[in-house]
Amino acid sequence: MNKTAIALLLGSFGLAAQAADLSLTYTGKSGQSAYTNLTSRFVGGAMHYLDSQGKSYEAFCVEPTQSHAVAADGAVSYTLGSFGGDQAQLLQGLFSSSYAGLSTAYQRGAFQIAVWEVIGEASGTPLDLNAGAFKFLYLTRTSTAADNSAFAALASSYLTAAAAYAGPALYDIQRLSSSSFQDLVVATPVPEPSSYALLLGGLGLVAFVKRRKA
């Protein structure tokens, strides 16, 4: 079985195996204040949610001009979907190359800017935070040019890594759509092939035992 088939089959045990709708409650955010051509001051970064079973999710916004749900909104229903074309490829490259290395709010803020650049530009358009449909402007009204440049450089490094990524798909990436709030992107790690083999082995053993008892 090739890696692509393994990844697709493993993905079926992630979010895709759940119901078409997912109910999530917002619990907080880890990000960086920033201004873009599409938003005024906005703390962009990872948003944290809990589902009805207490499972936690880290998500990034894909609609910068839409408001996100807050804790006071309670449980919000999202429809599970996917991305296509260049967006799907670049988001996979973005998460597979850089997501696991995010450890600070600053890095998550830069990663959010990279997500918006991928989502905001038309297919085939160069990924450039200074040009195109989406642009990063500055961190705050009082931030220095050096601070702005450093942040933009970090976000750009994520985009460069995403465009160059040629490895296996490390995440099952899905779009969570809401009619009232920002749509989100979530990434569920794809288990290693060895984990998949163990899973299949366990399922096979259960089936064998059931047949013996029958």
Side-chain angles (χ1 to χ4, degrees), residues 63-213:
E63 291 183 314
T65 59
Q66 181 85 321
S67 299
H68 66 76
V70 296
D73 294 311
V76 174
S77 180
Y78 294 88
T79 300
L80 295 176
S82 60
F83 297 89
D86 287 349
Q87 284 186 356
Q89 181 177 347
L90 287 169
L91 285 173
Q92 184 61 247
L94 184 63
F95 278 87
S96 290
S97 63
S98 303
Y99 181 58
L102 303 180
S103 61
T104 67
Y106 182 84
Q107 291 171 338
R108 286 177 167 84
F111 192 86
Q112 175 65 85
I113 292 294
V115 169
W116 281 338
E117 174 66 13
V118 168
I119 296 298
E121 301 301 344
S123 178
T125 302
L127 299 176
D128 185 349
L129 295 177
N130 296 311
F134 175 78
K135 303 181 187 69
F136 165 71
L137 301 180
Y138 46 82
L139 293 173
T140 70
R141 296 191 185 280
T142 59
S143 56
T144 67
D147 288 339
N148 297 332
S149 294
F151 184 76
L154 179 58
S156 294
S157 73
Y158 295 150
L159 291 168
T160 299
Y165 187 75
L170 301 182
Y171 293 91
D172 177 28
I173 296 176
Q174 295 201 315
R175 181 171 187 145
L176 304 186
S177 299
S178 167
S179 60
S180 302
F181 300 103
Q182 289 176 349
D183 287 1
L184 308 171
V185 55
V186 295
T188 305
V190 173
E192 293 293 331
S194 58
S195 299
Y196 171 70
L198 287 174
L199 174 62
L200 283 187
L203 292 175
L205 179 60
V206 170
F208 174 77
V209 171
K210 286 185 175 180
R211 284 198 301 270
R212 289 294 298 270
K213 289 182 176 180

Side-chain angles (χ1 to χ4, degrees), residues 20-58:
D21 291 329
L22 186 64
S23 182
L24 298 176
T25 301
Y26 176 84
T27 60
K29 181 187 294 186
S30 174
Q32 170 65 48
S33 172
Y35 289 76
T36 76
N37 66 314
L38 299 181
T39 63
S40 56
R41 181 180 179 275
F42 188 94
V43 179
M47 293 179 285
H48 306 289
Y49 296 83
L50 288 176
D51 68 11
S52 58
Q53 305 301 315
K55 180 180 178 181
S56 61
Y57 293 83
E58 183 169 80

